[in-house]
Amino acid sequence: MRDYLGGELLARVDLDERKLLLGIAHLPRVSMPLCQQLWPDIDAGCVFRRLLQSQSFFAPLDDEAHWYRLLPAVAQALQGELSTAAVSHLRLSACRLLCNDGYVDEAIELALSIGYVDVAACYMERLTLDWLLIERNLFTWLDWRARLPLRLLECTPNLIYMNARALLSSWRLDEAGSV
């Protein structure tokens, strides 16, 4: 797949489209406004629109076709083309923008994936008890909890409360008692 994409797809796009594709491959979701903010040095919104019109490598994530993601096989094949520093900078910027757009859980996951546990904990601070009790969010919280140092889970009253509540809700009473 990597050979095909390198030889076929990337050879047919211009430099701006290539830059966007290689960056988008490292993000969980993208939109025209997000692209514009992440790549202000180019007209990224128009470049993204061109990519959407000319390629079938994107899948819409909502009914309004505002948010998209690169197909997982395509994203995986394109990863590895950017430096680690460039990917970290891009993902950290995307974390902030996704959080501001209300996608806090994706921002947390992205921050954890690049090792920014302090940033992830800061975003976790914004979550509410209502969020914790919706669908599978309890299991998501427990997964994040396992990936964070304990000192971060005890740095604010809200994180202490949310952590204890998650442990109590999952019947991990001994652990909850030590929080």
Side-chain angles (χ1 to χ4, degrees):
M1 180 72 102
R2 184 180 294 277
D3 293 339
Y4 166 74
L5 289 172
E8 296 295 322
L9 173 65
L10 294 178
R12 290 187 281 149
V13 297
D14 65 31
L15 290 175
D16 290 343
E17 291 169 338
R18 178 185 174 93
K19 182 177 184 175
L20 234 60
L21 279 171
L22 294 177
I24 288 170
H26 297 277
L27 301 175
R29 65 173 51 233
V30 292
S31 66
M32 280 187 247
L34 182 71
C35 286
Q36 195 64 45
Q37 292 175 317
L38 288 173
W39 292 279
D41 56 322
I42 60 175
D43 189 7
C46 288
V47 173
F48 182 66
R49 187 177 317 115
R50 275 197 324 260
L51 285 171
L52 284 175
Q53 292 169 349
S54 66
Q55 305 297 331
S56 59
F57 297 118
F58 292 94
L61 294 176
D62 56 12
D63 292 336
E64 298 84 33
H66 178 74
W67 290 99
Y68 295 86
R69 70 174 167 86
L70 206 52
L71 296 176
V74 175
Q76 186 176 17
L78 292 177
Q79 290 176 358
E81 297 287 325
L82 297 178
S83 71
T84 304
V87 171
S88 291
H89 177 71
L90 175 66
R91 284 182 165 175
L92 190 57
S93 296
C95 283
R96 180 180 47 81
L97 296 170
L98 286 170
C99 188
N100 290 343
D101 282 343
Y103 297 96
V104 179
D105 42 351
E106 287 185 18
I108 293 166
E109 192 62 45
L110 200 52
L112 287 171
S113 75
I114 56 176
Y116 285 94
V117 293
D118 293 341
V119 173
C122 179
Y123 292 149
M124 286 172 72
E125 170 68 25
R126 298 177 184 199
L127 298 174
T128 64
L129 181 59
D130 290 340
W131 176 90
L132 186 67
L133 300 176
I134 295 173
E135 296 178 16
R136 298 196 45 86
N137 289 347
L138 174 62
F139 299 108
T140 301
W141 181 278
L142 293 172
D143 175 57
W144 293 339
R145 179 185 184 280
R147 295 160 60 190
L148 287 172
L150 188 57
R151 67 173 171 76
L152 289 177
L153 292 169
E154 297 174 343
C155 67
T156 69
N158 189 49
L159 284 176
I160 293 169
Y161 173 73
M162 291 288 287
N163 191 40
R165 188 60 191 228
L167 292 170
L168 288 170
S169 296
S170 63
W171 292 95
R172 293 163 66 175
L173 303 179
D174 291 340
E175 289 177 76
S178 66
V179 172

